[in-house]
Amino acid sequence: EGRWVRAATLAPGDRRGVHHILAGYIPGEPKKGPASASQWEANYGEYAVGGESFQVPAGLGIYLPPGGHKGFQMHYTPYGKEAVDNSKMALYFYPEGQKPERIMRHTVIADNFIELPPNKDKHEEIAYLTFPKEARLYSVFLHTHYRGQAGRFDIVYPDGTKKALINLPRYDFNWQRTYDFAEPVTIPAGAKLVATYLYDNSVRNASNPNPNETVIWADQSWEEMHYTSIYYECTDETVAKKADATDEMRSG
């Protein structure tokens, strides 16, 4: 049977080796070939170093349909010895027979083509997402690796006005969390959400594995990412009246 998810916790079994965990729903049989989160239709929280449990506000939910498969993106970083990971996931459902009024959606703003020059700090990389319809933004998760220096998340309105939603002047890889807005942010149709990260690939960065190399997007913690996860709802969508909300969001 299908149930509505209100909250989720992803607990790493080996905190030294687990870089991150993502969890999603795959309708039907997974496609053959390399596993990919692009097959997922919904996201049920995420873990990164320092992360916490995920909970949506009252009145919202994420549907978990019957059948299908659960997808997990398990990202490991080696630390010099053999280990066994026994990560766990817990889901908190709305009580049986109850359902929310509105649907929480999820998408990612990312730049897979970042390139950090050697021996340079305050190197800037930007990615954005344009919303084709009005939405409300509830939370944002910012993610880079050891060279992440600072992060900023802005909304650019259709008239060109820009407003800062999150300003993180000192990014810390060991303290990654989801930022929940005290009040949801209304995103007008045509507005852009812009994620800007600064990277420190210099010798002044005590966490920098090697300031003399050019760094691009890759999985390991000593490499880099430009990844921002957001949770939102479309204002024209309810549980009783679903809209084609997921496929319309495109990042750049």
Side-chain angles (χ1 to χ4, degrees):
E1 63 181 15
R3 294 291 294 270
W4 285 94
V5 175
R6 174 79 188 277
T9 298
L10 288 161
D14 184 345
R15 292 184 180 274
R16 292 172 295 178
V18 177
H19 174 278
H20 75 241
I21 307 171
L22 306 180
Y25 169 75
I26 303 173
E29 291 291 329
K31 297 177 182 177
K32 294 182 179 180
S36 172
S38 64
Q39 299 183 39
W40 298 359
E41 281 195 353
N43 189 77
Y44 303 89
E46 50 206 346
Y47 165 82
V49 181
E52 301 171 335
S53 297
F54 166 76
Q55 180 173 330
V56 300
L60 286 139
I62 305 172
Y63 189 58
L64 180 60
H69 287 75
K70 207 77 168 65
F72 294 94
Q73 187 189 93
M74 305 298 300
H75 178 178
Y76 297 108
T77 293
Y79 56 92
K81 61 187 297 185
E82 184 175 311
V84 175
D85 175 49
N86 185 25
S87 292
K88 299 178 181 180
M89 180 179 191
L91 294 175
Y92 179 90
F93 299 114
Y94 273 85
E96 193 170 1
Q98 293 186 21
K99 60 183 179 181
E101 298 174 357
R102 307 185 310 280
I103 302 172
M104 183 70 86
R105 297 286 187 177
H106 171 267
T107 194
V108 170
I109 304 171
D111 180 1
N112 295 355
F113 302 98
I114 58 174
E115 184 172 316
L116 283 55
N119 299 298
K120 183 179 179 182
D121 68 344
K122 298 180 180 177
H123 174 74
E124 184 178 87
E125 295 281 356
I126 300 174
Y128 68 89
L129 175 69
T130 302
F131 271 71
K133 61 171 67 178
E134 185 182 79
R136 279 188 288 265
L137 178 68
Y138 284 88
S139 61
V140 178
F141 174 80
L142 303 111
H143 175 74
T144 65
H145 292 174
Y146 293 150
R147 295 173 175 86
Q149 187 173 17
R152 184 181 174 96
F153 193 76
D154 301 312
I155 181 171
V156 179
Y157 293 98
D159 64 0
T161 305
K162 186 177 182 180
K163 179 182 179 181
L165 301 179
I166 295 176
N167 187 13
L168 189 60
R170 182 180 178 274
Y171 178 83
D172 188 341
F173 178 80
N174 298 301
W175 189 251
Q176 301 179 55
R177 59 160 297 149
T178 299
Y179 292 89
D180 300 310
F181 297 106
E183 297 292 336
V185 178
T186 299
I187 307 171
K192 291 181 180 179
L193 296 180
V194 183
T196 304
Y197 291 108
L198 298 180
Y199 298 86
D200 185 354
N201 193 22
S202 74
V203 70
R204 289 180 292 277
N205 178 0
S207 300
N208 194 347
N210 183 358
N212 296 315
E213 66 178 2
T214 298
V215 183
I216 61 174
W217 174 288
D219 290 339
Q220 296 303 324
S221 299
W222 58 81
E223 296 161 327
E224 267 306 334
M225 286 187 177
H226 186 299
Y227 175 97
T228 308
S229 171
I230 66 171
Y231 284 89
Y232 68 94
E233 67 163 328
C234 295
T235 56
D236 67 345
E237 182 176 49
T238 65
V239 169
K241 182 187 175 183
K242 294 183 181 180
D244 186 12
T246 305
D247 293 339
E248 295 180 0
M249 304 304 172
R250 297 287 182 265
S251 61

